[in-house]
Amino acid sequence: MKSQFKQLPMAIQKQVAFRAVASILFLLAAILIYVLYKDLYFLIPCYAFSAFFGINSSLPFIRAIEGRYLVVEGVCSVIERTALRRKIKTIYFQSEPYTVKVMIQQRVKHIEVGDTIQVYVADDAPVYDQEHCKLICSYLAIENIRRVT
């Protein structure tokens, strides 16, 4: 299992590891709450979050080791940001022969126009036509592989 994990792309490894650590932390919080308070009602949310993050980390891992994902690579052409906090909301990139629009789900840093990025998408994820480009709303991981200097 460890060797299969090491063979995955680094971006997918980070996503799976982050979610697995969250699951373990909630499990440890449940144990700590039980030891300190001995109250079962406080345990229910911790166990629920631990199970959620455990399943949330195992599904992309299983999909990745089975090879049921696609890699879409291209050069970033436009970055849309939110009005107030200037967080990245949408990324457009050129992937021959299409322009691809990716709706960002998590916090993404250090992506600039002209960077080469890779988006790991599930093989059965829906891709929509919108505004003369392909729209991807869900993805497994995103990675900036080459920065413009």
Side-chain angles (χ1 to χ4, degrees), residues 23-82:
S23 174
I24 292 170
L25 287 177
F26 275 108
L27 190 61
L28 291 175
I31 293 169
L32 183 66
I33 287 171
Y34 181 72
V35 168
L36 293 178
Y37 298 110
K38 305 248 189 293
D39 189 1
L40 296 177
Y41 291 113
F42 286 148
L43 296 179
I44 294 171
C46 289
Y47 283 137
F49 282 124
S50 179
F52 171 76
F53 283 114
I55 292 169
N56 202 2
S57 68
S58 64
L59 292 178
F61 176 69
I62 291 169
R63 178 178 293 277
I65 62 173
E66 290 176 353
R68 296 186 305 138
Y69 66 93
L70 304 171
V71 180
V72 182
E73 183 175 328
V75 177
C76 182
S77 58
V78 177
I79 297 175
E80 291 181 357
R81 297 182 183 271
T82 59

Side-chain angles (χ1 to χ4, degrees), residues 11-12 15 19 60 63 69-70 72 88-89 91 101-108 111 118-122 125-126 136-143:
I12 295 178
Q15 288 296 317
R19 296 170 186 179
R63 178 178 293 277
Y69 66 93
L70 304 171
V72 182
I88 296 175
K89 178 174 67 171
I91 296 175
K101 178 181 178 181
V102 179
M103 305 297 288
I104 300 300
Q105 300 168 352
Q106 74 260 9
R107 187 175 178 134
V108 177
I111 292 182
Q118 286 183 339
V119 179
Y120 298 91
V121 182
I136 298 174
C137 292
S138 65
Y139 56 89
L140 298 173
I142 189 167
E143 183 175 35

Side-chain angles (χ1 to χ4, degrees), residues 80-137:
E80 291 181 357
R81 297 182 183 271
T82 59
L84 293 178
R85 297 190 61 205
R86 309 297 300 159
K87 291 174 23 179
I88 296 175
K89 178 174 67 171
T90 307
I91 296 175
Y92 291 86
F93 64 93
Q94 302 295 327
S95 178
E96 292 301 326
Y98 301 109
T99 300
V100 180
K101 178 181 178 181
V102 179
M103 305 297 288
I104 300 300
Q105 300 168 352
Q106 74 260 9
R107 187 175 178 134
V108 177
K109 296 180 183 179
H110 310 297
I111 292 182
E112 301 295 331
V113 174
D115 290 353
T116 302
I117 60 173
Q118 286 183 339
V119 179
Y120 298 91
V121 182
D123 60 352
D124 58 351
V127 178
Y128 305 103
D129 288 323
Q130 182 188 35
E131 301 172 359
H132 308 293
C133 63
K134 301 295 183 184
L135 173 65
I136 298 174
C137 292

